[in-house]
Amino acid sequence: MVAATANANDVLVMMSATGYTPVITETAELAKQYGLKVIAITPSDSPLSKIVDITLPIKHMETDFIYKPSASRYAMLALVDVISMELAVKHKNRSRDKLRRLKVALDSHRGGGDRQLLVTRIESTAVN
């Protein structure tokens, strides 16, 4: 649905541990038809990587121990964190305003009296 409602000014970031899931590859193709730039966090030799504009490759060794979080999930989350941080730093004013609005929305949704202030900069002063 997101790919069908976005426009050429948008970027779609997709994550797939295999790059073979049909609904993921079909979504990437649809997004490309609508002119979106598509970034995928996926193995570099996957069908998804051949569709998208930019591939951020992951290579992982999964285990069969079902109670352990998968290595691919950690790799994808780390890349999303790096992308988010870099974009926030590059667009400081816009990011700060959006983060403030997001914090207010989350605080009002979650309720409770343990809300923490969102501070953009703390300056220290020396006392003589």
Side-chain angles (χ1 to χ4, degrees):
M1 284 193 284
V2 171
T5 60
N7 63 48
N9 294 323
D10 295 320
V11 174
L12 180 63
V13 178
M14 306 185 80
M15 297 183 288
S16 175
T18 66
Y20 283 86
T21 308
V23 70
I24 300 294
T25 56
E26 291 165 8
T27 300
E29 288 171 344
L30 180 62
K32 296 288 290 174
Q33 287 175 12
Y34 283 105
L36 276 76
K37 294 293 183 192
V38 182
I39 299 171
I41 300 171
T42 194
S44 59
D45 58 348
S46 68
L48 179 60
S49 71
K50 291 169 181 47
I51 298 168
V52 302
D53 298 293
I54 298 172
T55 299
L56 301 175
I58 56 168
K59 187 172 183 177
H60 52 83
M61 303 299 288
E62 297 294 342
T63 68
D64 59 357
F65 183 54
I66 63 171
Y67 299 109
K68 179 181 176 187
S70 68
S72 62
R73 186 169 38 174
Y74 285 135
M76 288 186 275
L77 289 173
L79 279 171
V80 167
D81 192 47
V82 169
I83 292 168
S84 300
M85 182 63 184
E86 287 300 316
L87 286 171
V89 169
K90 186 173 182 172
H91 304 283
K92 288 178 184 170
N93 292 336
R94 200 168 82 201
S95 298
R96 182 183 59 235
D97 295 341
K98 287 186 178 190
L99 287 171
R100 285 185 186 284
R101 282 187 263 151
L102 179 61
K103 173 139 178 56
V104 168
L106 286 172
D107 282 348
S108 66
H109 173 73
R110 144 188 115 138
D114 61 342
R115 294 185 179 105
Q116 306 230 347
L117 296 176
L118 180 62
V119 178
T120 58
R121 185 171 77 195
I122 299 174
E123 293 185 30
S124 62
T125 56
V127 178
N128 291 332

